[in-house]
Amino acid sequence: MTDFPVESERLAPEVVSEARPLYWSVRRELWENRSIYLAPLAVAAFVQFGFMISTIGMPARRRAVLMLDSAQQRATIGMPYDVAATMLIVTAMIVGAFYCLDALHGERRDRSILFWKSLPVSDLTTVLSKASIPLVVLPVLIFAVVVVTQFLMLLWSSVVLLPSGLAATTWSRFNLFKESWILLYGLIAVTLWHAPIYGCLLLVSAWARRATFLWAVLPFVAISVVEKIAFNTLHFFSLLKYRFMGYLPFAFAVKPDGKFDFTQLTPGRFLSMPGLWMGLVVTAAFIGAAVRLRRNREPI
């Protein structure tokens, strides 16, 4: 009986010692790259300001909307909230892409890699902390920002519609709780699907000596152009398009009547996609290659 406490005491410090460097490495990324959270907050403030301006004359427009059928009412009333979520998700993708391109290249450019390599933090931990920004931190941050932004939009629309007695029409057509769960599922799906893209950008960041953006974009453009000229086909371009948007018809099932509810979420079909798991395997290969490159790279 005495073996179990002793064993647990021996294993606990090992687990803590492995997790702590990763935790502090992630915090370091947030300290050094404030755009990770400042850019979404700025876009959220811009969206909120634009929505406040758009509410001028809202009571009259809302009465006209209420003359439509229920599906059109939900689509029209929910459109500003969907636009807000879409803008913030796109912002997260842009921030994540540019962060990955500079994550490993920047420390070689400013020679800070010499300092970070002197610390007792492995190259694997460092690269995983950088990969966790677009794969974990940004999706969680965007989810929180979108929910808060939509809640503030709901409150403001209620204030504007309260004198006309139409304040409840927004809350009844836009269920924030349900939409938040759908948003969470969508963020998980798009993050898993785009994981190879972020892994590829990290690999380019670890390999390129300069012009990381060009090295990340031009080879794919050149291959597509050469294929079109030589064979008059667009198979490579279709593959790229599939990697960017191919998850949509598998992660969601669009109804003909335009209604949107939990029955449109198809996680089983999405998780059974071979392209998803192949992409995750490729992501692991990219991250592994980035770790090896960082181990052997010197300052630029």
Side-chain angles (χ1 to χ4, degrees):
M1 295 295 292
T2 59
D3 292 338
F4 292 97
V6 174
E7 184 70 18
S8 62
E9 291 177 3
R10 186 164 59 249
L11 292 177
E14 296 179 0
V15 175
V16 172
S17 62
E18 292 178 1
R20 184 169 295 173
L22 180 61
Y23 168 75
W24 284 106
S25 296
V26 173
R27 291 196 63 174
R28 172 173 72 90
E29 297 302 319
L30 295 176
W31 289 335
E32 293 185 346
N33 302 273
R34 296 184 179 181
S35 61
I36 294 173
Y37 53 88
L38 290 181
L41 292 176
V43 173
F46 175 78
V47 168
Q48 186 68 34
F49 178 73
F51 178 75
M52 293 174 66
I53 296 177
S54 70
T55 55
I56 299 175
M58 176 179 279
R61 296 196 303 271
R62 180 57 53 87
R63 293 189 182 93
V65 170
L66 294 178
M67 301 297 294
L68 306 174
D69 59 74
S70 58
Q72 291 178 323
Q73 289 180 24
R74 284 192 294 270
T76 304
I77 293 175
M79 182 177 65
Y81 305 90
D82 295 337
V83 170
T86 302
M87 290 184 63
L88 285 166
I89 292 173
V90 172
T91 300
M93 293 179 181
I94 296 174
V95 171
F98 280 95
Y99 165 81
C100 288
L101 285 175
D102 190 65
L104 296 171
H105 180 266
E107 65 179 10
R108 289 188 294 130
R109 185 180 60 248
D110 59 18
R111 305 181 68 85
S112 63
I113 189 174
L114 298 175
F115 170 75
W116 297 118
K117 280 193 172 186
S118 67
L119 299 179
V121 179
S122 65
D123 294 291
L124 176 61
T125 299
T126 300
V127 175
L128 287 179
S129 68
K130 295 178 183 297
S132 68
I133 297 298
L135 298 179
V136 179
V137 175
L138 272 173
V140 173
L141 175 64
I142 289 301
F143 174 76
V145 173
V146 169
V147 171
V148 172
T149 301
Q150 290 181 339
F151 179 70
L152 293 177
M153 292 168 65
L154 282 169
L155 289 181
W156 180 255
S157 65
S158 300
V159 171
V160 174
L161 295 173
L162 188 61
S164 60
L166 300 173
T169 58
T170 302
W171 294 88
S172 61
R173 272 70 174 184
F174 185 82
N175 189 326
L176 182 61
F177 179 77
K178 181 189 74 173
E179 297 295 332
S180 298
W181 279 106
I182 295 173
L183 170 67
L184 180 61
Y185 169 76
L187 284 172
I188 294 174
V190 71
T191 301
L192 291 176
W193 190 254
H194 287 167
I197 299 175
Y198 297 123
C200 178
L201 296 179
L202 280 174
L203 179 59
V204 172
S205 179
W207 172 79
R209 294 186 60 86
R210 57 180 63 86
T212 54
F213 179 79
L214 294 180
W215 280 113
V217 175
L218 285 184
F220 299 100
V221 175
I223 293 174
S224 300
V225 172
V226 170
E227 180 194 358
K228 178 63 177 178
I229 296 174
F231 306 104
N232 196 28
T233 59
L234 291 173
H235 298 303
F236 187 76
F237 177 79
S238 299
L239 179 63
L240 295 178
K241 183 179 179 181
Y242 173 76
R243 180 44 57 185
F244 276 98
M245 302 298 296
Y247 71 96
L248 284 174
F250 294 91
F252 301 93
V254 181
K255 292 184 176 181
D257 57 5
K259 294 181 179 179
F260 195 76
D261 51 40
F262 283 106
T263 61
Q264 287 185 258
L265 309 185
T266 55
R269 185 169 63 177
F270 174 70
L271 293 175
S272 63
M273 292 180 62
L276 171 64
W277 298 105
M278 291 175 61
L280 294 179
V281 171
V282 172
T283 303
F286 283 151
I287 292 177
V291 172
R292 186 175 182 85
L293 282 173
R294 186 183 189 271
R295 186 177 298 124
N296 301 320
R297 281 304 198 216
E298 297 296 333
I300 300 174

